[in-house]
Amino acid sequence: MPDSETPLLDELEKGPWPSFVRDMREAAQKKPAAKDLMRQLELSYKEKVGHWKHGGIVGVKGYGGGVIGRYSDRPDLFPNVEMFHTLRVNQPSGWFYTTKALRALCDVWDKHGSGLTNFHGATGDIILLGTTTEHLQLCFDDLAEIGFDLGGSGSCLRTPSACVGPARCEYACIDTLDICHDLTVAYQEQLHRPMFPYKFKIKVAGCPNDCVASIARSDLSVIGTWKGNIQIDEDEVGKYWESGFDIQGEVVDLCPTKCMEWDAHSRTLKINDRECNRCMHCINQMPKALRPGEQRGATILVGGKAPIVQGALLSWVVVPFMKMEPPYGELKDLVNKIFDWWDENAKMRERLGELINRLGMGQFLRATGLRPVPQMIIRPRANPYYFWSAEEVK
Amino acid sequence: MARTDFGPPHYTQMLPPVIQRNYGKWKYHERLKPGLLKHVAESGDELYTVRAGSERLLSTDRVREICDIADKYCEGYVRFTSRHNIEFLVSDGSKVEQLIAELRNKGYPVGGTGHSITNIVHTQGWAHCHTPATDASGLVKALMDELYDYFMSWKLPAYCRISLACCLNMCGAVHCSDVAILGIHRKPPKPNHEIIRTKCEIPNVIAACPTGAIRPDPKEKSLIINEKRCMYCGNCYTMCPGLPLADAEGDGVSIWVGGKVSSARTPPAFSRLVIPYLPNNPPRWPETVAAVKNIIETWARHAHKHERMGEWIERIGWDRFFLLTGIPFTEQLIDDFTFATETFRTTPAFKW
C-alpha cells in the first residue's frame, strides 16, 4: 500500500460527525478534479494558507453573475483544478426538493463538474463546486433543461431566501415561500446582472424567531408578525399545567414586558396584549396553547449586514406593519424606491445600512416616503444637531 | 441560446403531499426527542420531521444516498435547513423509528432540534475560497466531533448557534451567533507593485480602506500601506489582487460570543470578541475546539433554563464571564473602531 497523499485530511475522516473528506474521497474516485482538490487542500493544511488565486471573471451568456471564477495558484502541482469555478444555483423557496429534482441536479453535475456540492451556500444557493470554463455554458444549459436557474453573485441582488414558513410551521404569519419566490422572479434582472454599488440581500422570516437570520444578514428583512391578541386555547393551557410544565417559571416570569399573569387556582392565563411586544417566547414554549393573533403581516427592516466595510449592522425597523398579499405591490414599491435611492447615492461597496448611517435616516425616509413613527427607534436622539427643511421654517 | 431569467423551480412542485394539503394550516408542534419534531395540522394530519446533520460539502453520491433514504421513507421528498441540516419529512408515523435507525446506521447524526447545538453554519475556507484566513469544513468537522453529544441531546439550557466564517468578509455572517469563529489575518498586505499597476483601480483601492491606511505611490505608480493603521480586514485585497495578506503565522481564528437573531425575550444582538487570536493548527485545531467547548460548558453550568449565551452574560456581567471562563482579557477586546465609545462602561457599578 502506498502512503496516503493526504495524511492530514485523513485525520478528519475519524470521529462521529459526517466527514466532508469522505465525500471528497468518493468524488475523487470518479473525478480527477476532486482528487486534485483534495491534494491542494492537503497542501493548505500543511502550509496553513489557501491556494486559490484571486477572483477571475467567467460566466454564462446573458448573465453578469451566478458563477464564481476560481483558479489554482499551483496548477503545476494540481493541473485538474487549474480552473475550478463554482456555479450558484437558485434554490427552491424553503429548500424543499423532490428526490427526482435532486437526482437530476446530480446527473448534470456529474456530467459537467467535480461531483462536489454544498447544500447549501451561506446565502442559500445550491453550490456546484468546481468546473472548467468550457463546461460553464454547457452546464447552465443542462440546468435550464431541468428547471434550475442561476443565483446571484457580485454587486447584484443576491439570491433571496426564506424560512420553512407556512409549509411546516404554525408560527408563520406570512407566506414566506411565496414572497421569496415572487420577489426572486420579479427581480431577475437585478439578480443576474450586477448593476448595484454592492450586494443586496433579501430574506423572509415567518415570525420574530427569524430562523433565516434575516435581521443580521439582509439589507431588507421581511419578518412576519401580527396585530391584536395572542390566541389562547384554555384547555391546552390546562393540559400543559397538568403535565407538570412550569407556566409561571418558564413562561410568565420570562416575559420581557411582564404582560402575563398565571393563576394556578383557576388555571387561567391572562395576557395584557396591549403591552405585549410579540417577542414569541410564550408561544415558543406553549405552541399547543398559544398562537399569534389573527391579523397577520410583516415588519420591514433595512440595513443588516456583516462587518465589511464600516462594521456590522442589524436591520432597522422602517415599516412596523405591512400586509402581505400577492402580488405584494406595497413591498415591491418600497423595494424599487430603495434600489433607486441606494443606487444613486451609495459609494462603491457601500451597503444600504452604511449609506443610511452616512447620510442619515431622515434622507432615507424622505426618499422612500415612509412616515417617521416611534417604532423605528429604541429611544430618541440625545444631541441637538438636527435638520429642518426651509419649508418647515416660515 | 438557452432561456434565461426563469428563476428557481416553483416551490409548490417540491412540497410533499401532506404539506400541500396542509399548507398554512398547521396547528401546533411537539418536540418528541432530539432530532424529531411532530407537526399536527388543523385537519388532524400529522407530519414527523427527522433532522440529521450533514457535512454540507456533499458529493453527488451522498446526495443520491440522501435521495434513496427519502424515497424509502418520505415519498421522494426532502428538505434542507438554513443551517445545512437535512430534514426528512415523514407522514407515516410508523416509519419514523426505522428511518432514524437507518440514518444512524449510515452515519447521519440525528439531533439538532431544541436545546441543542445544531449544525455549524460555515463558509468555504481553504477548500474553495480565495481570501480565507482559516479553513472552514475541517474546523467545523473537528468541532462537531467534540460537540457531538450536544447535537444528539438536550443537555443545554437553551439553543446554541455556532457559526464559522473564514475571513472578515463573513459570507457566513457569523456576527450574531451564540459562538462565532472568525478567521482573521494579523499582518498587513504585501503590495505587489506589478499587479497593482496592471490590474487594480488605484482610487477604488484607496477608498476601500476603512482606516485610511492606503495612499498612492506615484514613483512606483502603485500603493503604499501605512502598516500602523492597517487592521487586516482584507477589503483592499478583495478590490485588488496585488495586496495579498494571507500568512501561515499571521492567520488564525478569533472567538466571539453572545449574539442571537431571534427576538424571543431579548432583542437580536451582536456577538462580542472574547478571544482575539488562536493559531491555525490543522487538521484538528485543538486550541479552538478547547476554547469553544470551555465557553459552552461554562454557560451550560451557570445559565438559567431558556437563557441564551448572551442573555446569561448580560445578566451576570462581562466581568464575571471572563472570571468564570478563565479567558484572559486583552487590549484587543476593547473596541477602537467606529462607535467604540458605545461599549465603554458609564457607571461605577460593576463586579470584582
Side-chain angles (χ1 to χ4, degrees), chain A residues 178-380:
Chain A
D178 195 55
I179 295 165
C180 181
H181 187 83
D182 191 293
L183 291 178
T184 305
V185 173
Y187 291 106
Q188 287 290 298
E189 184 72 17
Q190 287 81 354
L191 184 68
H192 286 136
R193 287 163 202 92
M195 56 175 94
F196 287 154
Y198 198 15
K199 66 179 99 166
F200 194 98
K201 296 189 175 184
I202 299 176
K203 292 190 195 293
V204 191
C207 81
N209 284 329
D210 198 2
C211 288
V212 77
S214 72
I215 210 155
R217 308 179 58 186
S218 51
D219 300 86
L220 186 94
S221 321
V222 180
I223 302 181
T225 190
W226 68 91
K227 284 184 170 176
N229 296 348
I230 289 176
Q231 304 176 67
I232 304 180
D233 183 329
E234 297 284 355
D235 286 349
E236 292 294 343
V237 173
K239 285 182 195 162
Y240 274 106
W241 173 244
E242 281 159 22
S243 74
F245 178 71
D246 179 7
I247 294 176
Q248 183 67 40
E250 291 199 40
V251 180
V252 176
D253 290 349
L254 295 178
C255 170
T257 64
K258 306 293 174 214
C259 70
M260 306 182 84
E261 274 179 57
W262 164 243
D263 182 351
H265 295 294
S266 60
R267 304 204 333 177
T268 46
L269 183 68
K270 274 196 218 153
I271 303 177
N272 179 1
D273 285 273
R274 277 191 68 78
E275 295 307 313
C276 168
N277 68 1
R278 291 159 291 103
C279 86
M280 290 299 293
H281 175 76
C282 60
I283 298 174
N284 288 340
Q285 298 315 316
M286 305 171 76
K288 277 187 178 176
L290 304 177
R291 317 192 67 182
E294 281 177 334
Q295 198 189 335
R296 310 282 175 92
T299 300
I300 313 296
L301 308 91
V302 302
K305 62 178 286 291
I308 296 278
V309 178
Q310 292 291 332
L313 296 169
L314 287 161
S315 289
W316 304 297
V317 173
V318 292
V319 182
F321 192 84
M322 186 186 276
K323 277 199 159 179
M324 284 290 147
E325 281 154 10
Y328 313 108
E330 196 182 349
L331 178 62
K332 285 178 194 159
D333 185 43
L334 177 62
V335 170
N336 293 337
K337 285 179 184 161
I338 290 173
F339 282 168
D340 284 349
W341 181 73
W342 174 56
D343 208 7
E344 215 156 278
N345 291 283
K347 298 192 262 187
M348 197 178 177
R349 282 173 76 73
E350 188 172 47
R351 294 279 289 270
L352 176 63
E354 287 165 325
L355 177 65
I356 294 173
N357 190 45
R358 180 164 63 86
L359 297 185
M361 184 59 100
Q363 280 212 31
F364 174 81
L365 295 181
R366 286 191 288 280
T368 50
L370 293 172
R371 202 165 55 90
V373 290
Q375 285 80 6
M376 291 175 176
I377 54 161
I378 302 168
R379 52 186 76 91

Side-chain angles (χ1 to χ4, degrees), chain B residues 10 38 43 50 82 99 116 158 206 269 288 293 296 339:
Chain B
H10 201 276
K38 175 186 176 183
S43 66
V50 177
S82 57
L99 166 61
S116 66
I206 292 170
T288 302
K293 203 172 178 194
I296 286 168
F339 316 124

Side-chain angles (χ1 to χ4, degrees), chain A residues 151-171:
Chain A
S153 69
S155 293
C156 66
L157 173 66
R158 295 293 178 86
T159 311
S161 66
C163 73
V164 70
R168 201 209 45 204
C169 183
E170 72 272 21
Y171 301 159

Side-chain angles (χ1 to χ4, degrees), chain A residues 30 99 102-111 115, chain B residues 58-71 108:
Chain A
K30 296 186 208 163
T99 53
L102 281 178
R103 288 179 198 280
L105 273 171
C106 290
D107 291 344
V108 170
W109 193 231
D110 279 345
K111 187 172 158 196
Chain B
L58 303 175
S59 67
T60 46
D61 284 352
R62 185 78 49 238
V63 177
R64 289 193 182 94
E65 182 179 78
I66 292 164
C67 289
D68 289 344
I69 300 169
D71 283 343
Y108 294 88

Side-chain angles (χ1 to χ4, degrees), chain A residues 17 23 30 45 54-55 63 70 84 86 99 103 110 117-118 167-168 170 175 178 192-193 250 349, chain B residues 5 11 23 26 29 55 58-61 64 71 76 78 87 124 128 130 135 141 145 235 237 306:
Chain A
W17 190 254
D23 286 61
K30 296 186 208 163
Y45 272 45
H54 184 285
Y63 285 14
R70 198 62 85 226
F84 199 69
T86 283
T99 53
R103 288 179 198 280
D110 279 345
T117 70
N118 289 150
R168 201 209 45 204
E170 72 272 21
D175 191 341
D178 195 55
H192 286 136
R193 287 163 202 92
E250 291 199 40
R349 282 173 76 73
Chain B
D5 301 290
Y11 58 94
Y23 192 88
W26 296 101
H29 75 278
E55 54 273 55
L58 303 175
S59 67
T60 46
D61 284 352
R64 289 193 182 94
D71 283 343
V78 66
E87 286 188 341
Q124 299 288 19
H128 203 248
H130 65 155
D135 192 33
K141 160 73 175 154
D145 277 345
N235 201 41
Y237 179 59
H306 302 302

